Amino acid sequence: MRLDKLLSNMGYGSRKEVKQLLKMKAVTVDGEVAKDVSKHVDPVKQNVSVLGERVHYQEFIYLMMHKPPGVISATEDLHDQTVIDLLDPFHAHFEPFPVGRLDKDTEGLLLITNDGGLTHNLLSPKKHVPKVYYAQIDGEVTEADIEAFSRGVMLEDGYMTKPGELVILNAGPTSEIELTISEGKFHQVKRMFESVGKKVTYLKRLSMGSLKLDEQLELGEYRELTEEELNNLKS
């Protein structure tokens, strides 16, 4: 790729700022001072350095975010803050996007990447990727609800969900549950409980496939996936 595109993509500034770096003789390719921003380089095979520090090329980024409530799972919005707005400029310039969505008032695990292939695999209905949620429910969740969810429930629009695994953590006027589903319909968890006459008052996604939320992440914080986490997701 062009030298200026490489350096711009890797966070060394705009194309104009990269041109200034070349004027300062701060950029070298295989030990030789680079003079032409349009020079084509292979960032994997060639040693491109800025101020003596090698540029480590990265095509894709994979971020785990602890999505906070009040922020929407989108790349841009005219009215609300998005999860992309929470990224620092280095990660944002990769133009990543959230994998699926969490409702505005839902918190928890959100994967953000610019890898379209991985995104397709994780969201494809054919892959049956499980997603685990923790929820607080207004009303007592019962064994009858567990049975209903295990068969699939009819939503208000006539859609029959795939079976879900409901585990009661605490039953009472306010119940606590964990629910595993393999779909991602709009407001699905909330609508599933509405179908059995109950209301979700708090919802948090704990995992998606093999990827589990790092509980050390505060709301709104994120980090890059470890190599092990990424390999497990891809397999």
Side-chain angles (χ1 to χ4, degrees), residues 70-82:
V71 177
I72 64 172
S73 302
T75 54
E76 56 184 357
D77 190 87
L78 295 177
H79 306 289
D80 293 306
Q81 187 180 37
T82 74

Side-chain angles (χ1 to χ4, degrees), residues 1 19 22 36 38 45 56 99 109 112 138 158 171 173 234:
M1 67 173 66
K19 188 177 287 188
L22 265 70
D36 183 2
S38 65
K45 295 180 179 179
H56 294 284
V99 178
L109 173 68
I112 299 175
D138 184 11
K234 288 185 173 181

Side-chain angles (χ1 to χ4, degrees), residues 89-104:
F90 173 74
H91 291 111
H93 87 265
F94 282 90
E95 299 182 350
F97 41 82
V99 178
R101 70 162 73 91
L102 288 180
D103 300 337
K104 182 177 178 180

